[in-house]
Amino acid sequence: MGENTPMDEFCGSTFWDANQTWWTTDPDFTPCFEQTVLVWTPCAFLWLFILIDFWYLKASLDRNIPWNKLSIGKVLFNVGLIVITALDLIMAFVKKGESNIPIYAVDIWTPIIKLATFAILLIFIPLNRKYGVQTSGCQFLFWLLMVIFSIPRCRTEARMHQERRDIINSQEATPHDFSWETYQFCSFFIFFTFTVFMLIFNCFADQLPRQTKYKRGPKEIPELSASFLSRITYSWFDKMALKGYRNPLEEKDLWDLRPQDSCKEVMPTFAYYWNKNVRKNYRRMAVGQETKAQFSNGKVSFENPQKNGKKKGMASIMPPIYKSFGGIFLFGSFFKLITDILTFAQPQVLSLIIGYVEDYQKAPQPEWKGIMYSILLFVLASAQTFILAQYFHRMFIVGLRIRTALINCIYRKALRISNAARKSSTVGEIVNLMAVDAQRFMDLTTYLNMLWSAPLQIALALYFLWQQLGPSVLAGLAVMIIMIPLNGFIASRIKTYQIRQMKYKDERVKLMNEVLSGIKVLKLYAWEPSFEKQVLDIRDKEIATLRATAYLNASTSFLWSCAPFLVSLVTFATYVLVDENNVLDAKKTFVSLSLFNILRFPLTMLPMLITNLVQTQVSVQRINKFLNSEELDPDNVQHDSSKPHPMSIENGHFSWGDEDEMTLKNINMEVRKHNLVAIVGTVGSGKSSVIQAFLGEMEKISGTVNTVGKMAYVPQQAWIQNATVRDNILFGKSYDRKRYNQVIDACALRTDIEILSAGDRTEIGEKGINLSGGQKQRISLARAVYSNADIYLLDDPLSAVDAHVGKHIFEEVIGPKGMLAKKTRILVTHGITFLPQADNIYVMKLGEISESGTYSELLRNRGAFADFLMQHLQEGEAEEEEIDQIKRQLSQTDPALVAPFEKAILLARTESLSDSISVTSADSLMGGSLRRRKMRQNSYDSAASAASLKKKQENEGKLIETEKSQTGGVDFSVYKHYIKSVGIFLSVATLVLNFVFQAFQIGSNLWLTQWSNDKEVEHDTGKRNMYLGVYGAFGFGQVGSTYFASLSGSLAGLQCSRIMHNVLLHANLRWPMELFDTTPLGRIVNRFSKDIDTIDNALPFTMRAVLSQAYMVLATIVVISISTPIFLAVIVPIAFVYYFAQRFYVATSRQLMRLESVSRSPIYSHFGETVTGVSTIRAYAVEERFIEESDEKVDKNQVCKYPSLIANRWLAVRLEMVGNLIILFASLFAVLGGQTNPGLVGLSVSYALQVTQTLNWLVRMSSDIETNIVSVERIKEYGETKQEAPWVLESDKQRPKNWPEGGRVEFKDFQVRYREGLDLVLRGVTFNISGGEKVGIVGRTGAGKSSLTLALFRIIESAGGKIMIDGIDIATMGLHMLRSRLTIIPQDPVLFSGSLRSNLDPFEIKTDDEIWKALELSHLKTFAKSLAAGLNHEISEGGENLSVGQRQLVCLARALLRKTKVLVLDEATAAVDLETDDLIQKTIRSEFKECTVLTIAHRLNTILDSDKVIVLDKGQITEFASPNELLSNPNSAFYSMAKDANLV
C-alpha cells in the first residue's frame, strides 16, 4: 500500500483502497471512507445551501404554523439523532479512558460535525413554524443524501457483524472484546432508522399557517402548501389534470393566483425601482423627498419623469426590471448551468458503456459496473429533467411578473398622459404596447439564458469532440457555421414572402368585409359572381406566395436535417482521410454523434435568439418612449376655495399641447354658485375647449383656472363602457334605488330600458354598439346626474337626442326646475330654445369670447349672438314650436328683429323636408340589438322590428346567436374531411417519403455501426473508402427524401387550404339573407381571416412536425429493439404511461389555453376603453378604481395562464421520465443481455438519449393539431349551412331573352315573414299593376313597405301566395335570372372600393359610350370628366370619397345602365339635398317612361303624380286607387297623411 496518507492517520485505518472498491467483482468502501466522506458530504451540502432557507424565511408572506403530529415527530426524531450522536462522542471519550484501545480523530470530529448539523436543523423546525414555511427543499435533499450515503455503511456493518459472529462461534479463537464494535453497530443502525424517518417526514408539507398576508380561500392553489417532493414532480397538479380529463375545465375550476404573483405584490417592488431610476435620470431632487415607493393605503404611485427637472436621458424600464426580478432569474440561471453540465456528462457515461461492451469479449469487466453505468445514465437524465423543469418554471414566473409590471405601468401612465402625447399615437398603438410588447418580454425570458448557455454548450461540445477526434472537428464545425448564414438568407426570403402574403391576406379580408357589409345590395343586383371572382383572384396570388414559401420552407428543413448528417460525414471523412492511423471505433463514433446532437440545439437557437432580442429591444424603446412622454400638469387647475365663485378662468390662454397654436385666447369667465351658464357659438369656435380647460385637459399657457367641488362631465361623444346599462350609470357608486329611478325618468331612459332585452341589466357592446346615439348620450348624462357632484360640465348633451326628448331633459334635468337646479352648471349647446332660461350666456367666436350676458341683453346688442340665431334658423333645423317660441321672445325683447327673422324662417320652410310619415321616433322604436342590424344598412327592419319586439324580449333580446366555443375533443370526421381535402395522392406521398427518410437515417446509422465494428478497416484503405462512400450515399438519400417529404407536406396543406377557402366562399355568398342578419359580420370575417390563416400556415407546419416526430419515436424503438430485442417487453407499459400522460395533458391544456385567450382580451379591451374615455375618467376622478379593475383583469388572466404553464411542466416531467426509463432499459438490457456488438449498443443508447425531447415535442405538437384543426371544423360547419335557392336553373334557358317585356306585376294573396318563427309581415296582399304604370307605396313605419320590394327580389321567400311578373311565377326561376331582370335604386347607396367603372358595370359587358351616356343622364358626367382618371377613378371603401348625393347618383346610373322593364325605387329618406332629388325624379320620369315603376315613398310630394297609390297598414292593403281619388275622400288614410305634410 506504501506510506500512510494524512487521512489514513486521521482514521487509524486505510482511507482508500482501489482494489477493494473498483478492481473487484464485489465492491465496497473502506470503513474510514464511509465514516468521513460519506458523512461529511451531506453536511457540507446543508451548510452550503442553508442560506437559501434563510432567504425563504425572510420572503415568506405567512406566519405561525400550529404544532401538529408532523412537526412534533420531526422534533422528537431530531432530538433522538442529537442524543445518539452525543452518545457516540461520549463513548469515544470513555473508550479513550480505557487506554488499551487507541482513539482516532475520526471518532471525535465526525460526531461533532453531525451534532452541529442536527442542531441547526433543530433550530429550523420552530423557525419554519414561526415564519410559516411549510416545506424545505434543502433539508429534504440533506436527509435524502444522508440516507443514500449511509447505505454502503449498512452493508459493511452487517458484513462485519457477521464476521464477528463467525469468530465468536468458531471454537479455537482467543476471546475478543468486541464491545466497541458492537456499540458502533447498534448506534449506527438506530441512527440510520432515525434518518430514514426524518426523510419520510420531510416528504410531506407542514400544515397551513394561521396568519397569512392574503386571505387563503377554498380555491387556493395547492402549490402553496405542497411539499418539496410534490413541487419538483408537480404532483400537486394531478387533481387539475384529472378534472380536466373527466370534463372540460371551466373558470370556476381554476385556483386562485399565488399571492406573490399578483399585482399587489409585484407592483410595489417595481414601482420602487422605477421611481429610483426616474430620480437618477432626472437629477434635480426635491429636498427631503422620500425614496420609497409610496404606499398610500396599498396604492402604488409612479413618479412622473417630466416633473423632476431637466432630462439627463430617458428613464428606461430595464434597470427596474433587473432589480425587481433579477433574483429569481439568477436562481433560474444557476439551474440552467447545472443542466448544461449534466448534458455533457451523458456522452461520457455513454463512452463508458461502450467501453464495457467492447471489453466483454476480451477481458469482461465485472457486471456491477455495467449496471452502475446504466443507473448513472438514468440518474443524470432524471436530475436533468427535474432541474430543467424548475428552471423553466422560474423563467415563466419571471416572465409573468414582468408582463404584469409592464401592463400595469403602461395602464397607470395612460391615465395621466397629456393630450399632445396621446395624439402622437393611436389608441391601437397604445394598446399594442400592452398586447404585443409586454408579451414579447414574456416570450423572451425563457430564452434569455441561451445568451451565455449556447456559447458555453458549443465550447464544451467542441472540447469533448476535440478529445475524441482531434482537429478534424473543425471541418464539421465549419459546415455548421456555413449553414447559419445560408439559413439566415433563406429566412429573410421567407420573411419577404410572408410580408407579401400578409398584404394579400389583408386585401382579401378587406374585400370580404366590404362584400359582407354590402351583401344585400349584391344580392339585389345579382352581382355576387363578379365579387367572388375578385376574391378568388386575390386568393390565387396569396396561394402562389404561399407556394413559394413552401419551397423555401422545404429547403430550410432540408438544410437542418442534412446539417447533422453532413457535419458527421465531413468530420468522419476528414478524420479517417487525414491520417492512415486514425480508425473509427464504436466509442469514437457514437460519443461524437451524441455530442453533435447536443451541438445542434444551441446552433439553431442562437439566430432565433438574436432576432428575438432585436424585437424585444424595439419593444423596450417603444415602451420607454411611452413611459417618458409628457403627463398632464396637475397645476393646470387650482382648487382654491377662497375664491368667490366655484368656477372661474382669468386671462386664460390655452393650447392643445402645441406651443405655437393657441386654441383659446383671453378667456375670462366666471360661473356663480347654482347658476346655469350657456356657451354658444358656431362650429369650431372653441366651445368644447373651454370645458376641457376647466377639466385641466388643455395646456395652460397663462392665466389661472379655478374649480371648487366635485365634478361631473358629459362629453360631446358619449363614452360608454362595455358593461350593463346600470353599471354605466352608477359608474362605481353604490346603488340607491330611489335616486336611480328618479335619474332614469329625468333622462327619459325609462322606455329605452323597457325595450332592452334584460332591462338595465342588458350588457352594452363595445363602444356602445347596440345603442343609438341618443341613448348613449342620455346614459352618459344619467351617469353625471347620478354622481351627485357639485359642478356640472355639459358638452352639448342634447345634440344627439330628438327635439321633444331634448326638451324633456332640459326641463327635468338641466333647467331651473330640473334635478340639477341647485348645482353649478356649464352647458354648451346648439339649441336656441333653452337659452332664455340660462342665467348667463357666453358667445364664442374663433377661440375668444365675443360677448356675454343674459339672453335679452345679448339680443339688444345685435352682435354675434343675433347672427348666430339667424344662421341657426336658416339651417332649417328648427321645429315649429321652437320658431313660435323665438318669435314670442323676440316680440318681448326687441320687436324690430321680428321681420328679418320671419324671412329667414320662410326660407328655411321651403327647403325643409318634412318626413311626415315616420311619426314615431325611430329612436324609441328600435330596441337593443336591432340597432346592430341597422348598421348592416338593412333598410327593411322597421317592419320586422315592431312585429317582433315582443318575441325579442322573450328571447332575451339575443338577435345574434352566441358563438359556440368548442369543448372536448374533435370528431374524427374533421380529420377525415381534412385528409379528403388534401387528396389521397399527396397524403400517401407525404407518409411514404417521411418513412423513406427515416429508413435512410436508420440505414446510415446501422452502416456506421458496421463500419466501426469492422476490424479490417485498419489495414485496408479500399475497404475504408467503400464504407465512407456508402455512408455518403445513405446520407444523400436522407437529404433528398427529407426535401421531398417536407415539400409534399407543405403542398398538401396548401391544396387543402385552397379547396377549403373556395368551399367557404362559395357557401357563404349563397347564404340566404336571414343568416347574414343573425350572424355578426366579425364572426364571418374571422372565418376568412383567422381560420383560413391557421389552415394556410399553422396546420401544415404542425402536421409535418407531428409526422416527423412520430417516425422518429418509431425509429428509436426499432433501433433499440434490433440491438436488444428484449426491450419490446418494456415498450408496452411505457407506451401505456405515455398515452395516459398525453390524454390527460391534451384535454386539460387545450381547455386552459381557451380560457386563457378568453381572459386575455378583456385586459386589452378595458385598456382601449380607458384610453378613449380617459378625460371622463379624470373628470370624475375615478382613476384608482380603473387601475384596480385593470389589475383585477390582469390577475384573472394570470389565474388562467399559470396553470397552463404548469401543465406544460407537469407533462414535461412525466414524459421525460418515460424517456428516461427508455434510456435506463436500453442501456441495462445492452449491458446485461450479453450484447457483444459495441456499435449497436452505442447506437441504441444514443437514440434513446434523444427520445425524451422527441416525445415531449410529439405531445406538444399533437395538442397543437387538436387546437388548430378546430379551424377546419368551423369552416366545414360554415360550408354546410343552409343555402338560398339556386342562382341559375336549366329551365331559365327556355324563358324569353327579354323577359319581362310587358312589366305586369301581380301579387296573389301574398304572405311573407322575415324568418322562421317570426310573425307575418305581409298578410295576404293582392293587387295588380299593368305594364308601364307608376305606383307609389306609402304607409307608416313598420307597415311592410320594404318587405314588398324584398319579396319581389326573393330576398325573403314567400310564406304563401305568389308573385307573377308577365304571367310567370317568380318562384320558379333561378335567382340570378330574376334579379338581373329587375332594377332597384336602393335606399342607401352602397359603393364598393374599386374603379368607378367597376361600380357601374362589374361584369364589364357595357361599352364606354353606354357608361358615359348613363353618367350624363344621371348628371355625373361633368363630375366624372373632372376626375383625372375618369372612369378608372378609384372609389374608396364604402364610397367615402364621394358625397352622399353623388353616391345616390351613381346608384341611379347603375339603374340606367341596366334599364329593365320593372324598376323599384326605394326612396332615399334624407340622404339627398333637394336639388339632387329633383334631378333624380326628372331623370326617372323621362328615362323610365315605358317601365313599371314602384316607388316606396317617404315624402308624399314625390308620388302625387303617380298613377296609383297603395296604402299599406300592418301588412295589409287598406287603400289602392289613384292619388286624386284618395285625396278627394277626406276619410282616407292617404288624405290624413297629406294633411300632416301640409300638402292639402
Side-chain angles (χ1 to χ4, degrees), residues 648-664:
S648 59
I649 301 182
E650 295 164 23
N651 303 324
H653 290 68
F654 302 92
S655 81
W656 282 115
D658 322 319
E659 290 300 313
D660 44 347
E661 263 196 54
M662 287 262 252
T663 315
L664 297 176

Side-chain angles (χ1 to χ4, degrees), residues 1009-1261:
T1009 41
Q1010 187 54 42
W1011 179 2
S1012 61
N1013 289 335
D1014 195 332
K1015 294 286 170 260
E1016 294 172 24
V1017 180
E1018 296 177 34
H1019 319 297
D1020 185 350
T1021 48
K1023 204 160 189 187
R1024 181 196 68 195
N1025 293 346
M1026 187 272 296
Y1027 273 120
L1028 194 56
V1030 174
Y1031 183 55
F1034 264 124
F1036 287 110
Q1038 268 183 65
V1039 165
S1041 57
T1042 173
Y1043 180 70
F1044 290 112
S1046 161
L1047 193 58
S1048 69
S1050 306
L1051 293 179
L1054 267 181
Q1055 172 71 6
C1056 168
S1057 66
R1058 212 187 75 229
I1059 291 173
M1060 298 210 88
H1061 175 266
N1062 296 358
V1063 167
L1064 175 66
L1065 181 66
H1066 185 271
N1068 198 273
L1069 288 178
R1070 287 165 180 72
W1071 274 13
M1073 206 54 221
E1074 59 184 81
L1075 271 177
F1076 287 106
D1077 290 345
T1078 51
T1079 318
L1081 218 156
R1083 199 180 295 166
I1084 307 175
V1085 171
N1086 207 357
R1087 294 285 175 282
F1088 280 97
S1089 55
K1090 175 84 180 46
D1091 292 334
I1092 290 283
D1093 190 49
T1094 306
I1095 295 181
D1096 281 349
N1097 295 320
L1099 254 181
F1101 171 73
T1102 35
M1103 286 280 188
R1104 272 205 331 259
V1106 166
L1107 266 181
S1108 62
Q1109 308 290 353
Y1111 273 119
M1112 186 80 195
V1113 174
L1114 263 166
T1116 306
I1117 292 167
V1118 168
V1119 168
I1120 298 177
S1121 310
I1122 291 174
S1123 83
T1124 41
I1126 188 176
F1127 180 74
L1128 285 172
V1130 194
I1131 210 68
V1132 179
I1134 285 184
F1136 215 69
V1137 173
Y1138 171 78
Y1139 176 76
F1140 272 105
Q1142 196 253 5
R1143 288 318 310 155
F1144 275 70
Y1145 165 77
V1146 169
T1148 308
S1149 151
R1150 189 177 48 218
Q1151 220 32 36
L1152 283 170
M1153 302 275 263
R1154 281 179 189 156
L1155 287 173
E1156 195 270 330
S1157 65
V1158 168
S1159 71
R1160 191 169 358 144
S1161 34
I1163 302 180
Y1164 307 140
S1165 54
H1166 176 249
F1167 181 52
E1169 231 171 45
T1170 307
V1171 175
T1172 33
V1174 71
S1175 49
T1176 309
I1177 295 173
R1178 287 185 243 191
Y1180 284 98
V1182 284
E1183 291 100 334
E1184 281 308 327
R1185 193 182 98 234
F1186 274 82
I1187 288 177
E1188 260 164 49
E1189 273 176 28
S1190 170
D1191 287 1
E1192 226 167 81
K1193 288 185 164 55
V1194 173
D1195 280 351
K1196 193 169 151 196
N1197 176 240
Q1198 310 277 67
V1199 164
C1200 307
K1201 183 91 177 161
Y1202 192 70
S1204 74
L1205 297 178
I1206 296 295
N1208 282 341
R1209 291 302 106 223
W1210 178 86
L1211 176 80
V1213 169
R1214 306 264 170 305
L1215 287 190
E1216 287 183 21
M1217 285 318 283
V1218 170
N1220 296 341
L1221 285 173
I1222 294 180
I1223 294 177
L1224 175 66
F1225 289 118
S1227 51
L1228 259 184
F1229 291 151
V1231 167
L1232 295 179
Q1235 174 60 268
T1236 53
N1237 180 340
L1240 265 182
V1241 171
L1243 183 63
S1244 77
V1245 176
S1246 60
Y1247 257 99
L1249 282 175
Q1250 273 187 306
V1251 83
T1252 36
Q1253 211 141 24
T1254 317
L1255 280 180
N1256 214 330
W1257 261 106
L1258 186 59
V1259 170
R1260 291 281 142 81
M1261 286 293 155

Side-chain angles (χ1 to χ4, degrees), residues 1189-1487:
E1189 273 176 28
S1190 170
D1191 287 1
E1192 226 167 81
K1193 288 185 164 55
V1194 173
D1195 280 351
K1196 193 169 151 196
N1197 176 240
Q1198 310 277 67
V1199 164
C1200 307
K1201 183 91 177 161
Y1202 192 70
S1204 74
L1205 297 178
I1206 296 295
N1208 282 341
R1209 291 302 106 223
W1210 178 86
L1211 176 80
V1213 169
R1214 306 264 170 305
L1215 287 190
E1216 287 183 21
M1217 285 318 283
V1218 170
N1220 296 341
L1221 285 173
I1222 294 180
I1223 294 177
L1224 175 66
F1225 289 118
S1227 51
L1228 259 184
F1229 291 151
V1231 167
L1232 295 179
Q1235 174 60 268
T1236 53
N1237 180 340
L1240 265 182
V1241 171
L1243 183 63
S1244 77
V1245 176
S1246 60
Y1247 257 99
L1249 282 175
Q1250 273 187 306
V1251 83
T1252 36
Q1253 211 141 24
T1254 317
L1255 280 180
N1256 214 330
W1257 261 106
L1258 186 59
V1259 170
R1260 291 281 142 81
M1261 286 293 155
S1262 57
S1263 75
D1264 272 3
I1265 278 197
E1266 290 213 10
T1267 322
N1268 287 335
I1269 202 94
V1270 172
S1271 293
V1272 176
E1273 188 176 17
R1274 289 161 55 165
I1275 286 176
K1276 180 170 172 260
E1277 172 196 32
Y1278 266 38
E1280 292 162 1
T1281 38
K1282 178 175 152 193
Q1283 308 276 289
E1284 60 184 359
W1287 284 354
V1288 182
L1289 287 174
E1290 276 306 305
S1291 58
D1292 293 348
K1293 300 197 173 120
Q1294 279 93 57
R1295 301 273 151 79
K1297 277 275 185 292
N1298 46 0
W1299 175 92
E1301 286 176 88
R1304 283 196 319 285
V1305 178
E1306 47 191 312
F1307 277 64
K1308 290 191 180 160
D1309 190 23
F1310 188 77
Q1311 303 171 329
V1312 74
R1313 56 167 59 95
Y1314 274 104
R1315 274 201 306 287
E1316 284 303 303
L1318 293 184
D1319 302 340
L1320 287 173
V1321 219
L1322 293 180
R1323 308 175 188 171
V1325 173
T1326 308
F1327 62 85
N1328 216 325
I1329 300 173
S1330 32
E1333 276 194 312
K1334 311 285 178 280
V1335 179
I1337 306 172
V1338 293
R1340 298 186 185 281
T1341 309
K1345 302 191 298 285
S1346 302
S1347 317
L1348 211 62
T1349 54
L1350 294 173
L1352 199 55
F1353 282 86
R1354 280 178 64 196
I1355 296 286
I1356 44 181
E1357 296 283 2
S1358 93
K1362 51 185 173 180
I1363 304 178
M1364 316 280 276
I1365 298 181
D1366 274 7
I1368 298 180
D1369 182 352
I1370 63 168
T1372 59
M1373 45 176 69
L1375 289 181
H1376 277 187
M1377 165 89 183
L1378 168 70
R1379 291 172 185 170
S1380 59
R1381 303 297 175 81
L1382 305 175
T1383 312
I1384 184 167
I1385 299 181
Q1387 193 173 13
D1388 15 43
V1390 177
L1391 270 60
F1392 299 95
S1393 54
S1395 64
L1396 179 57
R1397 184 189 182 119
S1398 67
N1399 263 297
L1400 294 170
D1401 172 31
F1403 294 105
E1404 301 185 355
I1405 39 182
K1406 305 282 188 204
T1407 62
D1408 275 13
D1409 298 341
E1410 291 176 279
I1411 292 179
W1412 279 112
K1413 179 128 200 300
L1415 284 176
E1416 186 175 359
L1417 291 170
S1418 54
H1419 311 277
L1420 274 171
K1421 187 169 183 179
T1422 42
F1423 168 70
K1425 280 271 192 258
S1426 70
L1427 301 169
L1431 290 180
N1432 297 327
H1433 176 64
E1434 274 302 308
I1435 288 177
S1436 60
E1437 195 170 345
E1440 295 295 317
N1441 52 0
L1442 299 182
S1443 73
V1444 181
Q1446 285 168 328
R1447 279 183 245 169
Q1448 195 71 49
L1449 292 173
V1450 171
C1451 290
L1452 176 62
R1454 282 179 191 163
L1456 288 164
L1457 266 179
R1458 274 181 107 141
K1459 192 117 183 233
T1460 54
K1461 268 291 180 202
V1462 179
L1463 169 71
V1464 179
L1465 244 183
D1466 196 344
E1467 195 175 273
T1469 349
V1472 197
D1473 53 301
L1474 284 173
E1475 282 173 85
T1476 322
D1477 197 46
D1478 286 345
L1479 292 176
I1480 293 179
Q1481 293 298 340
K1482 269 202 207 96
T1483 309
I1484 288 171
R1485 286 194 193 110
S1486 61
E1487 287 301 308

